[in-house]
Amino acid sequence: NKMWQYSQAQFGNLYRKTIVEAKNIHLFTYANVVDILAGEGVQHISSVTVKNHGGKTHTVRAKHFILACGAIQNARMLLASNSQASGGLGNEHDLVGRYFMEHLEIASSELWLFRPFPTNLYSWEYGVTRASAELAITEEIQEKERILNGTASLLPLSVGMHQKPRMETWQDEDPRKSSESLFKDWSEADEAAKSEKGTIERAFQLNTRIEQAPNPNSRVTLMAEKDELGVPRVHLHWELTALDKRSVRRIHQLIGQQFGIAGIGRVKLMDFLRDENDDTFPDSTNGGWHHMGTTRMSEDPKKGVVNSDCRVHGISNLFVAGSACYATSGAPNPTLTLVALSLRLSDYIKRII
């Protein structure tokens, strides 16, 4: 079992007052970066151009610049700032935008227990801290099987059968409306399960949460179409690999074997996992909204966009913050790690100013 616990902290609520009242921070809203300009030789950033939807444009100059716009937008701005470097800033080796990673989430199998097992350990009702357990494979076996790290959560099968894939419920451009649609679907699935007669309390849907193997073909690129501010829109090509598929399949095969050995129950793989020669994923495959990669970290400029200080290779004063710098995605949510990386970058900037 691996335990999950989510913080209820909302950064906007926690830190808004501190930022607004800080003497050494100037916060500008509605100031969208539309271009990053470098000096001669493209080894030093001289300014950024910002613009609002009212048509006002300003130039901002500083000693150091940090892109902290998320993995997709960070890559977009580097690629779009191509007036002095045809391929975009920091893109000498065609790595900006590549290795886009998500946390793959998909219903993968059914667990049928021989006898009911009353516990709330695997639900978000466990304990006062709202924690939950998920089934996982030990590190030793992961290494032996050469598979990625992931977990399987338990959902009553009677509920899972009524839930729509997240890709179907999250379709509105307004994320608030999509969120409402998602939670509405979950509530309706719960009610449908309660109303059914003969619901089996020992059957569960196992849902995979797993890291994605780094893949250079999974990437962000620019489109010809531009947004209202004149910046090219992006095209996201999210591509999974045979290792991703084999890892999902093998995790559930191993869980099934252990349930059988223990005499507790049986696991039934979903149809898309049964053919071991099929590396494709169904359309219901979902990400965790955890965008990572695109400006991956490496000391070698031929293998990454930023160095260990999150500085863009070849440019002395341009940095990238957040999960865009991840070289691998890991299995858990990325927030704690990206905050730690950002604090580390902040300390580094303070030392060199």
Side-chain angles (χ1 to χ4, degrees):
N1 289 308
K2 285 189 177 179
M3 298 302 299
W4 292 70
Q5 180 182 354
Y6 287 97
S7 169
Q8 300 300 310
Q10 297 291 325
F11 282 14
N13 297 333
L14 283 174
Y15 302 117
R16 176 187 174 87
K17 188 173 185 290
T18 302
I19 292 172
V20 170
E21 295 181 355
K23 302 298 184 182
N24 61 340
I25 296 176
H26 299 280
L27 174 64
F28 295 91
T29 56
Y30 305 101
N32 306 280
V33 174
V34 295
D35 199 10
I36 305 171
L37 299 173
E40 186 176 352
V42 198
Q43 297 178 344
H44 184 89
I45 301 303
S46 58
S47 65
V48 297
T49 303
V50 299
K51 190 175 183 180
N52 66 16
H53 287 273
K56 292 184 178 180
T57 302
H58 294 278
T59 298
V60 179
R61 294 181 175 85
K63 291 182 179 179
H64 305 283
F65 298 86
I66 303 172
L67 280 175
C69 309
I72 294 177
Q73 293 298 324
N74 284 344
R76 180 192 187 196
M77 287 314 308
L78 290 174
L79 292 171
S81 300
N82 54 18
S83 60
Q84 296 158 294
S86 59
L89 296 174
N91 200 31
E92 181 181 356
H93 300 286
D94 189 29
L95 292 174
V96 173
R98 291 189 183 272
Y99 296 98
F100 174 85
M101 295 174 290
E102 254 282 11
H103 284 137
L104 178 63
E105 298 185 0
I106 187 168
S108 304
S109 67
E110 297 176 4
L111 168 62
W112 290 78
L113 300 176
F114 295 146
R115 292 174 297 278
F117 183 67
T119 179
N120 61 355
L121 177 65
Y122 299 95
S123 75
W124 287 106
E125 302 303 320
Y126 179 73
V128 295
T129 56
R130 299 281 289 179
S132 178
E134 294 185 356
L135 300 174
I137 309 302
T138 65
E139 184 176 353
E140 178 186 6
I141 298 301
Q142 287 176 33
E143 185 174 357
K144 177 182 177 182
E145 297 282 344
R146 301 181 66 84
I147 58 175
L148 299 168
N149 188 17
T151 57
S153 62
L154 276 70
L155 179 71
L157 184 59
S158 56
V159 176
M161 292 174 65
H162 290 286
Q163 282 188 358
K164 298 177 183 176
R166 291 189 190 181
M167 295 295 283
E168 292 183 19
T169 57
W170 200 277
Q171 289 292 327
D172 199 289
E173 290 187 3
D174 186 337
R176 293 166 297 186
K177 293 181 180 179
S178 286
S179 181
E180 290 175 3
S181 175
L182 176 68
F183 287 112
K184 179 182 177 183
D185 176 67
W186 288 357
S187 296
E188 290 176 348
D190 284 339
E191 291 302 316
K194 291 176 184 177
S195 65
E196 288 183 347
K197 295 181 179 179
T199 298
I200 299 175
E201 297 180 354
R202 53 185 177 82
F204 297 88
Q205 178 177 287
L206 297 184
N207 299 307
T208 302
R209 306 173 191 267
I210 193 170
E211 64 180 329
Q212 179 182 343
N215 178 11
N217 295 328
S218 185
R219 64 185 303 193
V220 171
T221 55
L222 296 181
M223 300 170 61
E225 179 186 354
K226 296 184 178 181
D227 66 12
E228 298 88 342
L229 299 174
V231 180
R233 296 187 185 277
V234 292
H235 175 263
L236 171 61
H237 175 70
W238 183 33
E239 183 176 308
L240 302 173
T241 66
L243 176 57
D244 297 301
K245 182 71 173 286
R246 185 172 69 83
S247 297
V248 174
R249 179 186 296 112
R250 193 64 187 134
I251 285 172
H252 289 266
Q253 287 175 336
L254 290 167
I255 291 174
Q257 289 171 6
Q258 294 303 309
F259 271 100
I261 291 171
I264 298 173
R266 294 289 186 267
V267 167
K268 175 185 176 183
L269 296 181
M270 297 289 191
D271 289 343
F272 79 96
L273 289 176
R274 295 183 186 179
D275 183 355
E276 299 204 359
N277 296 314
D278 179 10
D279 296 328
T280 63
F281 282 87
D283 292 340
S284 57
T285 306
N286 192 70
W289 300 289
H290 304 156
H291 302 161
M292 298 165 282
T294 72
T295 61
R296 69 194 324 248
M297 182 183 290
S298 174
E299 284 300 311
D300 185 349
K302 295 180 179 179
K303 296 181 180 179
V305 177
V306 302
N307 67 8
S308 59
D309 295 318
C310 299
R311 181 179 61 80
V312 175
H313 285 297
I315 303 178
S316 62
N317 64 337
L318 180 59
F319 300 81
V320 178
S323 57
C325 300
Y326 288 8
T328 58
S329 62
N333 293 19
T335 305
L336 284 177
T337 307
L338 73 86
V339 169
L341 201 59
S342 298
L343 291 171
R344 179 173 169 272
L345 172 57
S346 299
D347 290 338
Y348 176 78
I349 295 294
K350 284 193 289 186
R351 288 199 305 270
I352 65 175
I353 288 179

